[in-house]
């Protein structure tokens, strides 16, 4: 009945109130027709180049590679995209779809604030009204991004319900969307939510993988042995993975937020903690969800707001089942240490989210040969995290 | 004739919603009993979920309290059993989100719900597209999954959904989440008429109805009037919830005569 498959194996689907079903169908139609429309693609590509600054560079991390003494490390520099993270790719893509559907208003959720900033930016560029829902806890720890969104003309609405983080911001964004669905689009920022969002977000983020694959071939003359990305909802990971998923020899590694450690119970490792991470339905999709025995969604913890979420994108759940991708986790401590390492060794301040991927590089590279190659997706820059890091350093 | 069919013999029917466990489990059982014995024709018994994305602040708050006080699916089903033991004989429809049912085990949930004395299910985040798994489970159990329709539903969807309706149709009267509205949505009569074209099942209207006067107005067009937020707010905010529940049920029943 739908134009595209709604599921990834047993995962995904459209678990939403009937009120929203017609909007999802309309969105799917707009997406399918846009994909086939050369003019839409040209407009998207033009904005990617002239506004976002794509292609983002591939940087050979010479000193880090030497220091770790194993695999050669390459960084895909999404931190250099306009607004400072990969989120802008999807935000602009969806904002163009909004224009195509004739809607005037977007609502978005944000955790770290990167998707909120990207949405506010896309809305300002294309003349759309933008409301961003953000948990009060996240507002406190990502203050610079809150001000950034306001400067860009967006309204930031604090969310005080539930755990006051990303999960609750998504609830509020969906409630707004249900109420205003006739003129409002929900600009969902991760590879999550009901179909067609996981597919749309992957599609707009696939530019990361496509570029990275070409750049690896140009710069290193070969494919990487391993691709590593952090996984909150999983949009940057699915974007970079999509460029290599058909290259079976390339190992794909997703890194979840290990928080204070899996055994502490304070984390966001959906795959990493079988006692709480089970298949369930949240925010319109069936996937691995951190929950209690009664199916109530669990509280999560991570030093990085962008990974602090109870569910993982449904396509990741399938890639894991198929053993096409493997998932591990990095703790807050490991991520902070990787953050400092990259600052000192490469002159790059990474986002705390991306620092989780770097932490895995630090563990893995020394175990690999010098003629092997790791590609890590540096999904965002760390300017937004300075307050958090300063606080953590004070605690050390 | 099952309980739902019996309930619809005198239309329009009054269908309040109240969540189990709010303000605490014992009081909620007493409240539901009081509603049932003072004019409610069918009760939507709420199961709580941490992320109720179709609900407004009042029901969010109430179900949050219920969870904090330790409500579970298991305790909720035991409460339904207790209501039957107390002689409550009107239909009790379990209304809740999908994940706690999945966590309980769908098959076990459907079986235990029937055994406890429930008469059907309303699951707001389970649209037609995803309902096969759930409906398939109740093949040997006649408990219906009540289909929901909304003002945004296209004519095609209305037909597909209403045609297969069992029990009754839950027509969401407003584009939005649960909560009282100052006035009824325009075009409600037309919307009800559209649904009736595709089904002979009773059509009940919910979302946004807060006063007995609004209920009467809706009752002139629909077969049932669903009152959730106003019921939870009025009773939950009262010092004597059971007494308030009695008065609440009577006031709506009176207006729907």
């Amino acid at each position: 009945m739908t134009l595209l498959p709604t599921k990834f194996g047993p995962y995904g689907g459209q678990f939403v109130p009937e009120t929203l079903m017609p909007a999802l169908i309309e969105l799917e139609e707009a997406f399918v027709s846009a994909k086939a429309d050369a003019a839409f693609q040209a407009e998207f590509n033009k904005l990617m180049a002239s506004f976002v600054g794509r292609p983002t560079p591939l940087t050979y991390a010479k000193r880090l590679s030497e220091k770790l003494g194993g695999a050669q490390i390459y960084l895909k520099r999404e931190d250099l995209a306009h607004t400072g993270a990969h989120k802008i790719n999807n935000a602009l893509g969806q904002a163009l779809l909004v224009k195509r559907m004739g809607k005037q208003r977007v609502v978005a959720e944000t955790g770290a604030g990167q998707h909120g900033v990207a949405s506010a930016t896309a809305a300002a560029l294309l003349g759309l009204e933008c409301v961003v829902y953000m948990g009060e806890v996240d507002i406190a720890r990502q203050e610079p991004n809150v001000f950034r969104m306001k400067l860009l003309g967006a309204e930031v609405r604090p969310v005080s319900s539930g755990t006051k983080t990303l999960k609750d911001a998504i609830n509020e964004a969906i409630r707004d969307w249900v109420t205003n669905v006739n003129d409002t689009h929900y600009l969902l920022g991760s590879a999550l939510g009901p179909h067609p969002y996981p597919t749309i977000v992957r599609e707009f983020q696939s530019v990361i993988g496509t570029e990275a694959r070409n750049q690896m071939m140009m710069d290193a003359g070969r494919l990487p042995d391993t691709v590593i990305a952090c996984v909150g909802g999983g949009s940057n990971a699915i974007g970079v993975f999509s460029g290599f998923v058909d290259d079976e020899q390339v190992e794909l590694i997703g890194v979840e937020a290990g928080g204070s450690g899996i055994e502490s119970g304070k984390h966001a490792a959906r795959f990493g903690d079988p006692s709480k991470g089970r298949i369930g339905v949240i925010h319109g999709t069936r996937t691995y969800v951190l929950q209690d025995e009664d199916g109530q969604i669990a509280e999560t913890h991570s030093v990085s707001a962008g990974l602090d979420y109870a569910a993982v994108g449904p396509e990741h759940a399938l890639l894991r089942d198929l053993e096409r991708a493997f998932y591990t986790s990095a703790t807050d401590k490991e991520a902070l240490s990787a953050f400092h390492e990259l600052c000192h060794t490469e002159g790059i301040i990474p986002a705390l989210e991306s620092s989780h991927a770097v932490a895995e590089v630090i563990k893995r590279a020394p175990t690999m040969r010098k003629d092997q190659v790791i590609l890590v997706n540096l999904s965002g820059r760390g300017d937004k995290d300075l307050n958090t890091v300063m606080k953590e350093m004070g605690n050390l | 004739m099952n309980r739902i069919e019996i309930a619809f013999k005198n239309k329009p029917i009054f269908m309040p919603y109240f969540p189990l466990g709010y303000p605490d489990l014992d009081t909620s059982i007493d409240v539901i009993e009081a509603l049932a014995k003072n004019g409610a024709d069918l009760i939507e018994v709420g199961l709580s979920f941490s992320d109720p994305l179709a609900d407004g602040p009042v029901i969010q708050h109430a179900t949050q309290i219920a969870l904090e006080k330790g409500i579970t699916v298991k305790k909720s089903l035991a409460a339904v059993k207790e209501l039957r033991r107390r002689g409550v004989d009107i239909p009790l429809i379990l209304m809740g989100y999908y994940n706690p049912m999945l966590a309980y085990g769908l098959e076990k949930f459907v079986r235990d719900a029937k055994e406890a004395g429930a008469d059907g299910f309303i699951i707001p985040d389970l649209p037609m597209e995803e309902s096969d798994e759930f409906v398939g489970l109740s093949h040997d159990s006649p408990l219906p999954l009540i289909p929901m329709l909304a003002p945004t539903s296209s004519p095609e969807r209305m037909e597909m959904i209403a045609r297969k309706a069992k029990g009754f149709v839950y027509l969401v009267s407003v584009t939005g989440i649960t909560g009282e509205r100052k006035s009824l949505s325009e075009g409600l009569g037309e919307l009800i008429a559209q649904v009736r074209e595709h089904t002979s099942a009773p059509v009940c209207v919910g979302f946004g109805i807060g006063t007995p006067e609004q209920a009467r107005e809706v009752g002139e067009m629909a077969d049932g009037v669903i009152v959730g937020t106003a019921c939870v707010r009025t009773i939950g905010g009262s010092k004597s919830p059971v007494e308030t529940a009695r008065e609440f049920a009577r006031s709506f029943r009176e207006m729907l005569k």
Side-chain angles (χ1 to χ4, degrees):
Chain A
M1 202 155 44
T2 47
L3 300 168
L4 301 169
T6 65
K7 293 201 162 70
F8 303 92
Y11 308 108
Q14 301 181 296
F15 296 87
V16 296
E18 169 63 19
T19 306
L20 292 177
M21 280 304 304
L24 293 177
I25 292 165
E26 180 193 15
L27 178 60
E28 185 191 47
E29 284 168 1
F31 172 66
V32 168
S33 85
K35 223 185 135 182
D37 179 356
F40 180 92
Q41 294 301 329
E43 192 179 3
F44 179 66
N45 292 337
K46 190 172 174 226
L47 284 176
M48 286 292 110
S50 67
F51 187 73
V52 178
R54 304 205 73 91
T56 58
L58 183 74
T59 302
Y60 171 50
K62 185 163 180 287
R63 294 190 65 226
L64 184 64
S65 303
E66 279 168 4
K67 188 169 175 189
L68 295 173
Q72 306 307 306
I73 299 155
Y74 287 82
L75 311 170
K76 177 60 175 167
R77 302 292 305 280
E78 291 302 297
D79 60 314
L80 293 178
H82 179 44
T83 70
H86 72 291
K87 293 289 186 189
I88 189 72
N89 305 327
N90 167 60
L92 268 178
Q94 282 194 43
L96 288 175
L97 287 179
V98 174
K99 297 289 268 191
R100 196 177 176 89
M101 290 187 289
K103 292 187 172 182
Q104 277 307 312
R105 179 175 180 267
V106 296
V107 292
E109 83 294 342
T110 200
Q114 288 305 110
H115 175 58
V117 168
S119 299
T121 301
L125 180 72
L126 297 175
L128 300 166
E129 185 189 339
C130 179
V131 172
V132 181
Y133 289 91
M134 190 169 186
E136 282 180 347
V137 169
D138 292 334
I139 286 181
R141 60 178 161 177
Q142 304 286 339
E143 206 188 338
N145 270 345
V146 176
F147 189 52
R148 214 167 274 147
M149 286 183 264
K150 288 178 180 167
L151 285 176
L152 291 160
E155 181 193 342
V156 181
R157 292 192 187 161
V159 176
S160 59
S161 59
T163 57
K164 305 178 178 63
T165 60
L166 181 57
K167 165 176 91 77
D168 309 282
I170 296 178
N171 288 339
E172 282 311 318
I174 293 176
R175 289 180 186 123
D176 182 314
W177 188 32
V178 173
T179 307
N180 302 296
V181 64
N182 291 323
D183 71 347
T184 296
H185 170 74
Y186 179 21
L187 212 168
L188 183 53
S190 196
L192 283 169
H195 171 76
Y197 282 103
T199 299
I200 290 180
V201 174
R202 180 197 61 211
E203 191 71 19
F204 289 134
Q205 293 296 3
S206 67
V207 63
I208 305 172
T210 306
E211 284 178 10
R213 193 178 188 286
N214 290 337
Q215 290 166 324
M216 284 303 310
M217 296 308 285
M218 294 279 287
D219 293 8
R222 54 165 291 184
L223 291 173
D225 296 279
T226 302
V227 176
I228 300 177
C230 64
V231 181
S235 70
N236 89 84
I238 210 72
V240 71
F241 288 179
S242 71
F244 301 93
V245 77
D246 293 332
D247 302 309
E248 277 173 31
Q249 70 275 31
V250 178
E251 183 183 36
L252 306 175
I253 308 285
V255 186
E256 298 185 288
S260 310
I262 304 293
E263 62 293 341
S264 74
K266 293 174 75 181
H267 59 77
R270 292 68 44 107
F271 293 137
D273 183 355
S275 73
K276 287 199 293 177
R278 292 190 306 277
I279 298 168
V281 166
I282 179 72
H283 295 144
T285 194
R286 184 196 292 259
T287 184
Y288 277 78
V289 186
L290 287 169
Q291 53 185 309
D292 71 10
E293 281 179 4
D294 204 45
Q296 307 301 335
I297 306 306
E299 277 196 41
T300 52
H301 166 81
S302 171
V303 70
S304 69
L307 303 183
D308 199 352
Y309 179 63
V312 64
E315 194 169 3
H316 287 291
L318 178 63
L319 289 173
R320 178 170 174 266
D321 278 6
L322 298 174
E323 298 188 349
R324 180 62 197 93
F326 298 90
Y327 295 83
T328 180
S329 62
T331 62
D332 289 352
K333 225 173 162 180
E334 290 167 335
L336 283 161
S337 155
F339 174 95
H340 291 295
E341 188 66 53
L342 204 67
C343 292
H344 285 258
T345 320
E346 294 294 338
I348 296 169
I349 302 177
L352 283 174
E353 289 75 16
S354 322
S355 300
H356 285 70
V358 177
E360 179 61 19
V361 172
I362 292 172
K363 289 180 209 171
R364 194 171 284 258
T367 71
M368 294 170 72
R369 295 191 316 268
K370 285 191 175 169
D371 62 346
Q372 291 185 300
V373 173
I374 294 177
L375 168 69
V376 54
N377 193 34
L378 210 65
S379 56
R381 61 173 170 248
D383 307 42
K384 68 184 175 61
D385 295 314
L386 298 186
N387 284 345
T388 307
V389 175
M390 274 189 269
K391 219 170 101 193
E392 293 290 335
M393 286 174 84
N395 288 347
L396 287 177
Chain B
M1 208 176 246
N2 65 35
R3 287 196 195 99
I4 297 178
E5 288 162 351
I6 294 168
F8 279 104
K9 277 165 72 177
N10 288 309
K11 295 185 279 197
I13 75 166
F14 168 50
M15 310 165 58
Y17 160 93
F18 202 83
L20 280 165
Y22 174 72
D24 58 68
L25 184 56
D26 290 342
T27 308
S28 67
I29 296 172
D30 294 344
V31 161
I32 291 168
E33 182 187 7
L35 289 168
K37 293 181 175 170
N38 289 277
D41 302 294
L42 180 156
I43 296 176
E44 286 179 19
V45 175
L47 306 180
S48 293
F49 181 47
S50 53
D51 295 83
L53 51 79
D55 285 305
V58 171
I59 293 176
Q60 281 176 48
H61 174 74
T63 51
Q64 191 59 42
I65 301 266
L67 288 172
E68 282 164 18
K69 296 263 177 82
I71 193 71
T72 61
V73 173
K74 199 174 164 191
K75 286 181 190 168
S76 300
L77 294 178
V80 170
K81 209 170 205 167
E82 169 63 14
L83 285 161
R84 291 304 183 209
R85 197 191 62 78
R86 293 187 191 181
V88 170
D89 203 32
I90 60 169
L92 299 175
I93 307 285
L94 298 175
M95 178 162 192
Y97 292 82
Y98 202 35
N99 198 55
M101 300 174 190
L102 282 172
Y104 189 87
L106 281 189
E107 216 171 323
K108 187 166 158 16
F109 175 71
V110 170
R111 194 178 59 231
D112 291 357
K114 192 185 173 199
E115 199 185 292
D119 298 285
F121 307 98
I122 298 174
I123 311 176
D125 58 347
L126 196 67
M128 172 183 69
E129 278 76 359
E130 302 293 348
S131 64
D132 284 355
E133 182 186 23
F134 188 86
V135 172
L137 282 172
S138 36
H139 264 321
D140 49 339
S141 133
L143 300 191
L145 174 66
I146 305 302
M148 299 182 91
L149 283 168
T152 53
S153 305
S154 63
E156 298 77 39
R157 291 185 67 80
M158 267 196 188
E159 186 181 346
M160 276 190 289
I161 294 168
R163 209 178 46 203
K164 293 192 285 184
K166 292 207 179 83
F168 59 92
V169 172
Y170 189 134
L171 178 61
V172 174
S173 71
V174 293
T175 305
I177 55 178
T178 58
E180 298 142 283
R181 308 290 198 278
K182 281 203 184 89
S183 57
L184 294 172
S185 56
E186 279 174 41
L188 182 58
E190 220 170 284
L191 199 60
I192 294 168
Q194 277 174 37
V195 179
R196 288 199 197 281
E197 279 176 32
H198 306 296
T199 181
S200 56
V203 178
C204 304
V205 174
F207 283 40
I209 303 162
T211 66
E213 290 71 25
Q214 287 174 333
R216 183 168 65 188
E217 216 178 310
V218 172
E220 283 164 8
M221 305 179 271
D223 301 313
V225 182
I226 303 162
V227 182
T229 298
C231 182
V232 174
R233 188 180 48 74
T234 309
I235 297 168
S238 156
K239 279 190 183 127
S240 46
V242 177
E243 185 51 42
T244 307
R246 280 191 206 111
E247 285 163 19
F248 189 86
R250 284 180 197 143
S251 68
F252 277 80
R253 185 65 269 171
E254 198 62 30
M255 287 302 258
L256 284 172
K257 264 179 186 158

